[in-house]
Structure formats: structure tokens, C-alpha cells
């Protein structure tokens, strides 16, 4: 978590200072967990029926991507699982009951396994941290899930 700690130390509480914090969190997820990509997605203001990617760092080509949007209308089981459990652990994302509905996204990015955790601020769900493993399936460990939960807590504090 060294990148995000450094970015948070420089954070001055302004919204325009957040993109480097998100990118740092994504890089830490990739490096610390050894995954293909890490990303931060924000729930749409108001009803939260969509999430939009604020930053996605893909280690396969060292790019940062933004702007992809996933809608509840297209991925109901995924959104239901996030709200119910505040996380999704999908070793086989293409067949998992919560993530199979995201098949187009998964195939486009060659995502085989997905580990997500909701970021909360003041008890409200505001974002989702995502780990993606491409090319091959990954069995997520309890340590992987605990790491992502800690990162979500850290970002939740920063977003207050």
C-alpha cells in the first residue's frame, strides 16, 4: 500500500487531488496482489444504478483507463451482491452467479477472476475497488480479500 499512502500524504482534501490517489490505489492492488489490473469505480450519484470507472491500471500494458460505465440494468445480480455482501469473490467470473451478467465486459478485458469490495463513507456505499485477473483463473485467498477490505477502508476515510 505504499503508493496510496504516499498519495494520501499529498492529498489536500480537494476533489481535484483525488485522481492520483485512485491511480495509486490501483497500482498498489496490482503490485501487492499480483493481479492483471486494479480499479476504482464510483456509484452514480442519486440512485446508484450504475458505476463509473475513475481509474483502472492494467499491468499488461501499463495503461490507466477511465470512463467505462456498468449499469445495474445490465448487471443486476452483480449490483445486488455488492449491496448485500459489500464484496464479490468470483474465482471464475464468467460463471459466478453475481458476475456472469457482466460477460461482455469480462470477455472484452479477458477477465477470468474478479475480487471486488465496496468503499463506504459515513455508512454510504460510494465506490467499488476491483481486482481483475486476466488470462487465467485465480483462487482468491482470505488474505487477498482482507487486503482489499483494508484498502477500501483507507479510501473511505480519504473520501470523508
Amino acid at each position: 500500500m505504499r503508493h496510496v499512502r504516499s498519495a494520501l500524504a499529498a492529498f489536500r482534501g480537494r476533489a481535484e487531488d483525488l485522481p492520483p490517489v485512485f491511480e495509486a490505489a490501483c497500482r498498489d492492488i496490482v503490485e501487492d496482489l499480483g493481479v492483471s489490473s486494479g480499479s476504482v469505480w464510483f456509484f452514480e450519484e442519486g440512485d446508484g444504478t450504475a458505476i463509473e470507472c475513475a481509474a483502472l491500471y492494467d499491468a499488461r500494458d501499463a495503461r490507466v483507463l477511465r470512463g467505462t460505465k456498468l449499469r445495474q440494468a445490465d448487471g443486476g445480480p452483480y449490483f445486488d451482491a455488492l449491496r448485500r455482501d459489500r464484496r464479490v469473490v468470483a474465482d471464475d467470473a464468467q460463471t459466478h452467479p453475481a458476475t456472469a451478467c457482466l460477460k461482455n465486459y469480462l470477455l472484452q478485458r479477458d477477465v477470468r477472476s474478479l475480487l471486488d469490495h465496496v468503499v463506504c463513507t459515513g455508512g454510504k456505499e460510494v465506490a467499488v475497488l476491483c481486482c481483475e485477473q486476466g488470462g487465467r483463473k485465480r483462487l482468491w485467498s482470505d488474505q487477498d480479500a482482507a487486503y482489499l477490505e483494508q484498502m477500501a477502508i483507507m479510501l473511505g476515510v480519504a473520501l470523508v
Side-chain angles (χ1 to χ4, degrees):
M1 291 188 195
R2 69 182 173 89
H3 294 296
V4 78
R5 285 187 178 128
S6 178
L8 285 170
F11 178 59
R12 301 290 175 239
R14 299 180 315 230
E16 60 269 15
D17 295 334
L18 283 171
V21 173
F22 302 148
E23 289 180 29
C26 295
R27 289 179 192 275
D28 278 338
I29 288 168
V30 167
E31 291 177 13
D32 296 346
L33 295 181
V35 293
S36 301
S37 62
S39 54
V40 179
W41 301 70
F42 277 87
F43 282 99
E44 197 168 71
E45 291 288 327
D47 60 6
T49 58
I51 55 174
E52 185 170 351
C53 184
L56 182 150
Y57 176 69
D58 192 325
R60 295 174 284 194
D61 57 11
R63 287 190 308 162
V64 176
L65 306 171
R66 292 176 181 76
T68 301
K69 192 178 262 193
L70 299 174
R71 297 179 187 342
Q72 183 169 345
D74 301 322
Y78 172 74
F79 280 80
D80 292 344
L82 287 176
R83 289 192 176 97
R84 181 184 60 244
D85 303 327
R86 294 208 167 161
R87 70 180 195 167
V88 171
V89 181
D91 297 332
D92 184 346
Q94 295 180 11
T95 63
H96 189 279
T99 56
C101 57
L102 305 174
K103 196 164 207 131
N104 289 338
Y105 173 82
L106 299 171
L107 291 173
Q108 178 185 23
R109 297 212 13 87
D110 188 29
V111 174
R112 305 300 172 92
S113 298
L114 195 67
L115 174 64
D116 291 358
H117 203 289
V118 172
V119 177
C120 295
T121 299
K124 182 182 177 198
E125 299 162 342
V126 294
V128 179
L129 283 182
C130 180
C131 299
E132 297 175 349
Q133 181 59 57
R136 62 179 169 78
K137 293 177 191 168
R138 175 174 175 146
L139 299 178
W140 300 108
S141 69
D142 290 341
Q143 291 81 12
D144 296 336
Y147 171 92
L148 198 61
E149 181 178 16
Q150 289 302 310
M151 182 69 78
I153 291 167
M154 196 179 317
L155 283 182
V157 169
L159 295 172
V160 171

